[in-house]
Amino acid sequence: MVCFLFLWISAGNGYAQYFGKNKPSYRSFDFQLSQTDHFDIYHYLDDSARIRFVGSLAEQWYRYHRQILMDTFRTPGPIIMYRNHADFQQTTAIMGDIGVGTGGVTEGLKRRVILPFSFSDYQTSHVLGHELVHAFQYHIIEESSDLNPGAISRVPLWMIEGMAEYLSVGNSDAYTSVWMRDALLSNDFPSLDELRNYSRFSPYRFGQAFWSYIASRYGEQYIRRLFVASATQGYHNAIEEQLGITVDSLSAAWKSSLIRQLVTKEDSTYTMIGRRLFSSGNSGKFNLSPSVSPDGQSIVFLSERDVYSLDLFLADARTGEIISKIYTSSRNSDIDALEYTETAGSWSPDNRYFAFVAYQKGKSVILIYDVQKKQIDQTIFHAGLDAVSGPVWSPDGKGIAFSGMNKGVSNLCYFSLDDNELHFLTRSLNAAIQPGWSPDGQWLWFITDDGAPGQSFFFPGNFNIARLNISTHEISVFNTFPGAKNLNPLPVNDHEVLFLSNVNGRRDLYSLDVSSGKIKRTTNYATGIMGITEMSPALSLAQDTLYYSMLKSGEFQIIKAPLQELLQQACPISLQPFDYRAARLAPYSERFSRVDQNLIYQGVLNGNDEVGLRSAEPKSNFRLDYVGNMAAGVMTGRFGTGMAGSIEALFSDVLGHNLLYGGASINGEIYDFGGQVALLNQKRRIKTGVSFSHIPYRMGYYSYEGEGEEEEGEEEELVYYSRRIFEDKGALFSYLPLSRSTRIESGVSMALYSYRYEKIEDVRSYYPAYNESGSRIDAPDSYWVGKMDAAYVFDNSRSGIASPVDGSRARFQAEKFFNGVDAHAFLLDFRQYKFVRPFSFAYRLYYYGRLGADRNTRRMTRLFVGYPWLVRGYDTGEFYVDSTQNHEGIGIKHLIGNNLLISNFEWRMPFSGPFDFAWVRSSLIFSELALFVDAGIAWDSESSPVLALTTDSDERRIPVFSTGMSLRLNFFGFIVVEPYLAFPYHQNRFYNGQFGFNVFPGW
């Protein structure tokens, strides 16, 4: 389950790449296997009770989903459980990066469900139920004789994720109801076709509401039918065939139903209390988790203000002026990621330090930031805890309380800053999260999934307000609104606390007076006070001023409001249970659907059900992960005949500890066959691999031969020389990720190079190598070359539409050739990026040089400045002359050598995309405009570089330049194409523009 805000942001993964961030890898996991009737549960827990609980939940969700989707697993489905999110980010079961907003992942071909424990059993259960829907979706397609595994790509994401949310949450969901009501009131409710714009419309929220409508209007039997039909023929045809209605008509009917269900007359006239401190006008569209300093002068909050990532900002709490950036991924390379989903930070009483939660070296830690020195002052970590959340500084400044999780159970903890000791304040199987100190330090408020005394109406996933007496450790659970999610307690004084509740199907602010037992509703908003997830904190208080984050017009704003104004207009409210009818996404019915019967009446936390749990040896057999590039054929036509085809496949074991890759291709004759096999072991921190390959390289040229003397009756004849080089190579390689941004790579290889030269006479076509046989001619002898290399790689850059936009990259590499080639080489590649909204400035300095006695050997390809990925405009051009003999031009030899020095500068601007500042707003076409200046120089042992703009000799090498414009087009995240127009500059003059293109992301 991925946070929709960042669906359009692609994060690079450093596996076997020149650049790219590393997937976190700090430890290895020794998994055990426990089996139930329908699942293989891989884990590394020694607590059998918790695994039995997971097994019981999995079987329960299996029964629920089977009833709706009418499908049965023939073979057990793998579930891979991690103790916490930091461990989950290191999973080898999938190759992709795991973001902080990802609660779980389901992989298709093996139907592997991968997730960590959460801070409450309900959250763990919800993610498991959501991901198991995906497992059913993949299984339905796998078992269908009419579908192939790629058929799921025909189903839009909002259908896929929305079905998983509907079947795991149900029809009554106050959080999704708020999103729907906000879109309706903002006149920004999408049609089904517009739901493809995932940067604006959450596929989870809107998809859940869609399936709620389908189940209510047509019946739950249409869930499977519509899904399968969409996978078969696309959702447009599926809707028309299965429901007998057009997509446009269904969109209109769905919208009308939601208006009648969710919107009242009063909703369009509600008054917001306070003023906007942060919104899209002065920050980003997602301004979250406000935390104000005790003196009310400063505020820290989360925002995607700089577009390409969610960062932590420090601002003036009075004016909203941004002071500095506390955290960003392109500058804080020692931090793996910032935890932003369900936790907020806290200020020290002296207003100097700020504590927040992050992932560092595979651990969940509390970082203490010194606001004055603008640096991390201390890191809090305890080996006895799997994860931490919600740090709150004690009023006396001597310690920090927080929620600590171990084996999927959260308790309140206190870390003493005086002696660096950790103390458990609670020890219970019930969740204890979102703590908050009373001003006098005598009470610690929190939320729990424990029931209050006498509370009989208690849905699974409900949370109550509770408080802990610090002196006696006595816990009191308050019966506020039974069955509701009562969250984010914020003490005002020693007897009054503010909190958020969805009791009325919305998200409003309430106050509880413990001394009198009275509850008051302080806001009555049509949308709601909330964060990016249902459990996200959204309140902060200082100097009698309340700061809260609120959903309004599709964005999260931070509002600043006087506390007394809120309390004065508060209305007393009687104790009442959660009104699930007000939170429904479809019209209310006396007869609950099967989904609602399962989730509400039977519950989603029946973990005490008996389940057969058996121990077994973990399975290590290889199964297919991916197959692609499948093509084969024989070509014939006016230009000749030939064969072409390719296939590649990736296999792995269940846990992804071992990967096996194989690929093969042919293009031309039978001896143009190429292939590679590679095996990678990634269980340990040091990843090791071996590969074997046979790669053919083909080239050729035309030539005229003969005397050409007509009196002797002999004319010149056009002949074609075909040259093939075959590389048979074996390699050992390894890499060690040191952090998210740095790694060390090394390898050793041995390659045999052999040749096949042919001469084709009587040429009759453009491509004689394909359809005309030739005679073999003398070719160089084959030879072996060995190579050793080692590299240090750094990359903390942030990616934009088609290239990096902020941060830096560096690669330092050394190579040693042996076995017949006495040479070595050094590489320096440094790149710096600076984002100045909305532009980005990029600079590159690149050097590659070969040294040693054989540095000029013909066995190695000479280096060339004019490749389009180095200096654009020089790969072809009429300005080349035979040799550099005067100031009128340069020969191509001038750009060739065994030393290469390149410098590039670019100004980058989003041309089309989903951003407000893009020149062309588009949710389909992503492109980037760049103005560039390139420069480069090459030299060898027979030449030398000179600091001049003109030269009359190839021995005196001058730099060549080019400037121009390019447009990088990102096609669905799979390929980036860059057409460009470059104007070369050398010998102190500009030359005609040269068109060209690159086929990869910008450097």
Side-chain angles (χ1 to χ4, degrees), residues 61 65 122 126 129-130 133 163-170 599 604:
W61 281 116
H65 298 337
Y122 172 76
H126 169 226
H130 178 105
V133 174
M163 183 191 299
E165 277 296 274
Y166 172 69
L167 294 180
S168 61
V169 176
L599 301 186
V604 295

Side-chain angles (χ1 to χ4, degrees), residues 35-61:
Q35 296 178 314
T36 67
D37 291 342
H38 298 98
F39 298 99
D40 290 339
I41 303 174
Y42 292 84
H43 63 93
Y44 50 99
L45 291 181
D46 54 7
D47 189 341
S48 60
R50 295 302 291 170
I51 295 303
R52 189 174 299 277
F53 172 75
V54 172
S56 176
L57 284 179
E59 291 292 339
Q60 178 189 352
W61 281 116

Side-chain angles (χ1 to χ4, degrees), residues 65 101 130 156-157 193 233 327 375 470 503 533 561 563-564 737 757 796 930:
H65 298 337
H130 178 105
L157 185 64
D193 288 336
Q233 54 191 333
Y327 167 85
Q375 64 184 26
I470 297 299
V503 62
T533 72
L563 179 61
Q564 292 305 314
Y757 285 5
N796 71 349

Side-chain angles (χ1 to χ4, degrees), residues 407-592:
K407 298 179 182 179
V409 178
S410 59
N411 278 285
L412 296 182
C413 302
Y414 177 81
F415 184 83
S416 173
L417 296 172
D418 291 336
D419 54 15
N420 292 331
E421 290 291 330
L422 178 73
H423 306 275
F424 281 88
L425 301 179
T426 63
R427 291 186 180 274
S428 170
L429 294 179
N430 293 106
I433 50 183
Q434 297 186 355
W437 288 97
S438 63
D440 58 8
Q442 295 299 309
W443 307 93
L444 189 63
W445 292 81
F446 63 100
I447 65 172
T448 178
D449 55 9
D450 193 9
Q455 193 173 62
S456 59
F457 190 76
F458 193 72
F459 287 171
N462 305 156
F463 292 94
N464 282 322
I465 303 296
R467 70 173 182 177
L468 169 73
N469 188 313
I470 297 299
S471 301
T472 66
H473 282 209
E474 179 183 357
I475 296 176
S476 301
V477 181
F478 295 93
N479 189 1
T480 49
F481 301 121
K485 285 186 173 66
N486 306 293
L487 307 171
N488 207 170
L490 185 64
V492 177
N493 47 52
D494 60 350
H495 62 87
E496 190 173 13
V497 62
L498 300 174
F499 66 97
L500 300 173
S501 180
N502 65 353
V503 62
N504 62 348
R506 306 187 178 213
R507 282 293 295 269
D508 278 315
L509 181 68
Y510 296 82
S511 68
L512 168 65
D513 190 322
V514 178
S515 60
S516 65
K518 292 182 179 180
I519 300 177
K520 294 181 180 181
R521 186 174 67 190
T522 62
T523 63
N524 187 15
Y525 291 161
T527 56
I529 300 174
M530 59 189 195
I532 195 65
T533 72
E534 189 172 31
M535 302 294 293
S536 298
L539 303 174
S540 185
L541 177 66
Q543 299 292 307
D544 293 326
T545 301
L546 183 71
Y547 298 79
Y548 58 90
S549 61
M550 179 179 178
L551 180 67
K552 184 86 166 58
S553 300
E555 64 180 55
F556 284 92
Q557 307 173 352
I558 293 180
I559 311 300
K560 176 181 180 181
L563 179 61
Q564 292 305 314
E565 183 178 343
L566 284 164
L567 296 178
Q568 287 173 4
Q569 60 90 52
C571 300
I573 187 170
S574 60
L575 189 67
Q576 56 185 280
F578 172 64
D579 186 358
Y580 63 84
R581 289 177 294 185
R584 288 180 63 89
L585 298 166
Y588 172 73
S589 172
E590 292 292 340
R591 296 184 60 186
F592 269 18

Side-chain angles (χ1 to χ4, degrees), residues 909-921:
M909 170 70 182
F911 182 74
S912 63
F915 312 118
D916 291 335
F917 54 77
W919 289 4
V920 179
R921 287 290 300 273

